[in-house]
Amino acid sequence: MPTKLGAHTVRLDSMPSILSFAAVASKKEGQGPLGGKFDILNDDTSFGQQSWEKAESQMQKLCVGKALEKANLSPEAIDFMFAGDLLNQCIGSTYGLRDFSIPFFGLFGACSTMSESLTLASMFVDSGLANRCIAVTSSHFCSAERQFRFPLEYGGQRPPTAQWTVTGSGSVVVGKNVKPPYVKAVCVGTIEDLGIKDSNNMGAAMAPAAAKTIQTFFEDTCTNADNYDLIVTGDLGEVGSNLMEQLLAREGISLGTKHNDCGLIIYDRENQQDVNAGGSGCGCSASVLCADILPKIQNGELNDVLFIATGALMSPTSVQQGESIPGIAHLVYLSSQSVRKGVL
Amino acid sequence: MPTKLGAHTVRLDSMPSILSFAAVASKKEGQGPLGGKFDILNDDTSFGQQSWEKAESQMQKLCVGKALEKANLSPEAIDFMFAGDLLNQCIGSTYGLRDFSIPFFGLFGACSTMSESLTLASMFVDSGLANRCIAVTSSHFCSAERQFRFPLEYGGQRPPTAQWTVTGSGSVVVGKNVKPPYVKAVCVGTIEDLGIKDSNNMGAAMAPAAAKTIQTFFEDTCTNADNYDLIVTGDLGEVGSNLMEQLLAREGISLGTKHNDCGLIIYDRENQQDVNAGGSGCGCSASVLCADILPKIQNGELNDVLFIATGALMSPTSVQQGESIPGIAHLVYLSSQSVRKGVL
């Protein structure tokens, strides 16, 4: 049963388990530091399809299929599916997942989708609304670039604050408490907007939402960074990460050495991978979670992790109309242990 | 507490209440049969804003404000908000609702969003995840037309199967069982695709999903059309409604005189309102629900209603790439009474 803690945090008293997970990625991600860790790595970014959008759908299909296979579950064993992506009308999800015939909740949380879908899946299991749920999302550099920025052939210049959309997908099956990783709590984000208008600086636009959610969670649970091994944001990149730390510092909160960002984990920015401020996209946090973080919780390398995917809730139209860019961030507390410590 | 019935239906044992609701619409809707019933009716479709997209955001803001006002609740009294719309990246919701600071779950269910959001809100209250939630969505003829079809100035010809996007919004506050209307059960839809490719015939594309969800609900609950006073679909229009009835007839299911469609209720197609096959858009089912159906349940004119909003999960890009149009439909069982009858 869920217990509300403070303003926006819900403790999941049954501590649902992550039964399985899968990560899919492509060539550039395979050349990065996590190269050997993806379940499916396709050097051809088309994934055998005739368009980038269909390739993205194919990634979600492969990713869900792999997570089900790893859990030895059929689609009929899943009560509800939570999915979304960056593409207009979320076609990465709706076309990619239509063959599974699993009761479907379509989401839009931009790059926060992995934590939004995982939050809902975990709440559903904890509250008895479901025995098993699946959460999935994706992004594709080519489909995102031409939808949000310029045709690929144009070769537009990218400022240093720009980020590189990850071609990848991640999916997670959540079920009753049986084995680690466990989901111990979630903190649902509010829409935050400090007035950033530069769509080439998404990290800055999302930083206030990440800072707000982390602050709220710490207040709601009377914990701080010392209580966790890793506090990992979704895709703030270098610029956004620095801004988030500045915003938290104003509130007297330091994450010390505990903070990292999926956008800084997935590519090797120092050496050969030209990704400016880091990786981004729904697939960034999703694939890093499923390729790197969840395995480390499973094998005990990490014990207590706060996963906070962040989304920029704009569209090209809203930016052209001079609007600022609102952000949102949802937090999921993942643990290798299902014993209660303090309020959590 | 929720109880799973059959494949996809969840009975909400506590029977959450709809505490309040509000409907917003504009000039054309005001000239239709429901003209006197909207809470806010603005003859200027710009709603005082400088773009159609900003007008749509404004509608959601007004609509949520009105529902809170009618329930005498502040935004802080709402645990979670579920919202989405048709616009790219759901900007109708994210910009319209950012000032409320309510923990926010962004959804994408196309025109099924009113039943998707109401389903989640009701499940959250029934399972103890929340005390109060708000569900809201919208559509705007002008923002939808230029995003999905042609610039308004082009004046494109519309075939007889085309529908008219409603300029409207609806919002519902769900809370603990205190007064009618009650939410007795929900049935979560699956993505259905029978291969329709004509984006000027959305009713046909969504009909299979509506038929599937109604059939599943009847099977899961051992009920039939005789058990309900009204079975109202979202925005199938005339073409889609006929197709849905044909698909149900193949399964031996007749809705008799119980079926109506929000797209056929909101405009007067016979006389002066030139809307081809009927109304459509997230705002169609949302505003009809809140202006017409919920008041009739409240005053006892209707006792048992199945509300099934339907969504077409395509995008202009997927249609241009030759893809068919998947649909989805979620069902919400609304009742004037909180006593159990049979399995429900």
Side-chain angles (χ1 to χ4, degrees):
Chain A
M1 276 300 297
T3 305
K4 194 113 185 253
L5 301 177
H8 301 160
T9 302
V10 177
R11 184 177 73 196
L12 307 181
D13 289 357
S14 74
M15 301 184 205
S17 281
I18 289 178
L19 300 180
S20 80
F21 45 91
V24 174
S26 192
K27 189 172 180 180
K28 194 177 182 85
E29 294 71 33
Q31 293 167 341
L34 306 185
K37 298 185 168 188
F38 300 104
D39 294 276
I40 298 171
L41 199 55
N42 197 333
D43 269 0
D44 172 8
T45 52
S46 79
F47 282 78
Q49 304 298 306
Q50 291 188 317
S51 74
W52 306 123
E53 291 76 20
K54 292 185 188 195
E56 186 167 343
S57 291
Q58 182 67 10
M59 285 198 297
Q60 285 207 25
K61 188 175 181 173
L62 290 170
C63 197
V64 167
K66 176 57 80 176
L68 291 174
E69 180 196 314
K70 287 169 76 175
N72 197 22
L73 290 170
S74 68
E76 295 76 39
I78 306 295
D79 295 304
F80 302 105
M81 175 177 260
F82 297 92
D85 57 86
L86 284 171
L87 294 181
N88 289 342
Q89 283 66 58
C90 295
I91 54 171
S93 307
T94 54
Y95 286 91
L97 305 173
R98 62 182 156 179
D99 293 340
F100 288 105
S101 291
I102 298 171
F104 180 84
F105 287 110
L107 306 182
F108 182 76
C111 305
S112 75
T113 306
M114 193 68 241
S115 57
E116 184 185 2
S117 58
L118 185 52
T119 292
L120 283 163
S122 305
M123 290 172 105
F124 261 53
V125 170
D126 185 58
S127 66
L129 285 164
N131 286 314
R132 292 181 209 90
C133 291
I134 194 159
V136 57
T137 187
S138 65
S139 55
H140 193 299
F141 176 79
C142 301
S143 61
E145 197 66 15
R146 70 176 175 181
Q147 178 180 287
F148 285 102
R149 295 181 188 94
F150 298 108
L152 289 170
E153 301 82 350
Y154 176 74
Q157 289 288 310
R158 300 160 63 83
T161 54
Q163 294 171 240
W164 188 276
T165 304
V166 167
T167 300
S169 175
S171 65
V172 178
V173 179
V174 182
K176 301 283 180 199
N177 178 304
V178 287
K179 63 176 185 179
Y182 303 99
V183 186
K184 294 184 80 170
V186 296
C187 182
V188 182
T190 48
I191 301 172
E192 301 296 321
D193 190 340
L194 292 191
I196 299 285
K197 293 191 175 189
D198 178 1
S199 64
N200 273 310
N201 194 354
M202 294 296 208
M206 298 186 291
K212 180 71 184 295
T213 298
I214 291 171
Q215 183 190 348
T216 303
F217 179 76
F218 283 169
E219 289 171 0
D220 287 350
T221 59
C222 305
T223 62
N224 60 47
D226 295 339
N227 297 97
Y228 306 96
D229 302 318
L230 174 66
I231 298 168
V232 62
T233 43
D235 57 343
L236 296 177
E238 189 177 29
V239 177
S241 292
N242 290 338
L243 285 170
M244 183 193 73
E245 286 172 23
Q246 288 174 36
L247 288 167
L248 285 172
R250 279 196 208 167
E251 306 293 332
I253 297 170
S254 164
L255 303 186
T257 58
K258 301 295 179 66
H259 178 244
N260 206 340
D261 184 78
C262 296
L264 299 173
I265 294 172
I266 193 162
Y267 297 121
D268 185 348
R269 294 165 60 242
E270 303 304 317
N271 292 312
Q272 79 278 38
Q273 295 195 292
D274 181 25
V275 297
N276 301 26
S280 68
C282 304
C284 177
S285 57
S287 65
V288 171
L289 176 73
C290 295
D292 190 45
I293 299 168
L294 291 174
K296 285 181 176 164
I297 301 174
Q298 220 170 22
N299 70 22
E301 202 174 324
L302 291 169
N303 285 314
D304 293 286
V305 175
L306 302 182
F307 172 72
I308 310 117
T310 48
L313 302 173
M314 38 62 72
S315 81
T317 301
S318 68
V319 171
Q320 284 160 10
Q321 292 181 2
E323 273 283 6
S324 54
I325 303 174
I328 196 159
H330 305 293
L331 180 150
V332 182
Y333 171 21
L334 299 159
S335 179
S336 64
Q337 292 151 355
S338 72
V339 288
R340 196 164 305 299
K341 288 192 283 190
V343 71
L344 291 169
Chain B
M1 278 298 296
T3 304
K4 194 110 185 255
L5 301 177
H8 302 160
T9 302
V10 178
R11 184 178 72 197
L12 307 181
D13 289 358
S14 75
M15 301 184 205
S17 280
I18 289 179
L19 300 179
S20 78
F21 45 90
V24 173
S26 192
K27 190 173 180 181
K28 192 177 182 84
E29 294 71 33
Q31 292 166 341
L34 307 184
K37 297 184 167 187
F38 300 105
D39 295 277
I40 297 172
L41 197 56
N42 198 332
D43 268 359
D44 172 9
T45 53
S46 79
F47 281 80
Q49 305 297 306
Q50 290 187 317
S51 73
W52 306 124
E53 291 76 19
K54 293 186 187 194
E56 187 169 342
S57 292
Q58 182 67 10
M59 283 197 297
Q60 284 207 24
K61 187 174 183 174
L62 290 171
C63 197
V64 167
K66 177 54 79 173
L68 290 173
E69 181 196 315
K70 286 169 77 176
N72 197 22
L73 290 169
S74 68
E76 295 76 39
I78 307 294
D79 295 303
F80 301 105
M81 174 177 261
F82 297 92
D85 57 85
L86 284 171
L87 293 181
N88 290 341
Q89 284 64 59
C90 295
I91 54 171
S93 307
T94 55
Y95 286 90
L97 306 173
R98 63 182 157 180
D99 293 340
F100 288 105
S101 290
I102 298 172
F104 181 83
F105 287 110
L107 306 182
F108 181 75
C111 305
S112 74
T113 305
M114 193 66 242
S115 55
E116 184 185 1
S117 58
L118 185 52
T119 292
L120 283 163
S122 304
M123 289 173 106
F124 262 52
V125 171
D126 184 58
S127 65
L129 285 165
N131 285 315
R132 290 180 212 91
C133 292
I134 193 159
V136 56
T137 187
S138 65
S139 56
H140 193 298
F141 175 80
C142 301
S143 60
E145 197 66 16
R146 68 176 176 183
Q147 177 180 287
F148 286 101
R149 296 183 187 91
F150 298 107
L152 289 171
E153 301 82 351
Y154 176 73
Q157 288 288 308
R158 302 160 62 83
T161 55
Q163 295 172 238
W164 188 276
T165 304
V166 167
T167 300
S169 175
S171 66
V172 178
V173 179
V174 181
K176 302 284 182 198
N177 178 305
V178 287
K179 62 176 184 178
Y182 303 100
V183 186
K184 294 184 82 173
V186 296
C187 182
V188 182
T190 49
I191 301 173
E192 301 296 321
D193 190 341
L194 293 191
I196 298 286
K197 293 190 174 187
D198 178 2
S199 65
N200 273 310
N201 193 355
M202 294 296 209
M206 299 187 291
K212 179 71 183 292
T213 298
I214 291 171
Q215 184 189 348
T216 302
F217 179 77
F218 282 170
E219 288 171 2
D220 287 350
T221 59
C222 305
T223 61
N224 59 47
D226 294 340
N227 297 97
Y228 307 97
D229 302 318
L230 173 67
I231 297 168
V232 63
T233 44
D235 58 344
L236 297 178
E238 188 178 27
V239 177
S241 292
N242 289 338
L243 285 170
M244 183 193 74
E245 286 173 23
Q246 287 173 37
L247 288 166
L248 285 171
R250 280 196 208 167
E251 306 293 331
I253 296 169
S254 164
L255 303 186
T257 57
K258 301 295 177 65
H259 178 246
N260 205 341
D261 183 79
C262 297
L264 299 173
I265 294 172
I266 193 164
Y267 297 122
D268 185 347
R269 295 165 61 240
E270 303 303 316
N271 291 312
Q272 79 278 37
Q273 295 195 291
D274 180 25
V275 297
N276 301 26
S280 68
C282 303
C284 177
S285 57
S287 65
V288 172
L289 177 73
C290 297
D292 190 45
I293 299 169
L294 291 173
K296 284 180 178 166
I297 301 175
Q298 219 171 23
N299 70 22
E301 201 174 327
L302 290 170
N303 286 313
D304 293 286
V305 174
L306 302 182
F307 172 72
I308 309 118
T310 48
L313 302 173
M314 38 61 74
S315 81
T317 301
S318 67
V319 171
Q320 283 159 11
Q321 292 181 1
E323 273 283 8
S324 54
I325 304 174
I328 196 160
H330 305 293
L331 179 152
V332 181
Y333 171 21
L334 300 159
S335 180
S336 64
Q337 292 151 356
S338 73
V339 289
R340 196 165 304 299
K341 287 192 284 189
V343 72
L344 291 169

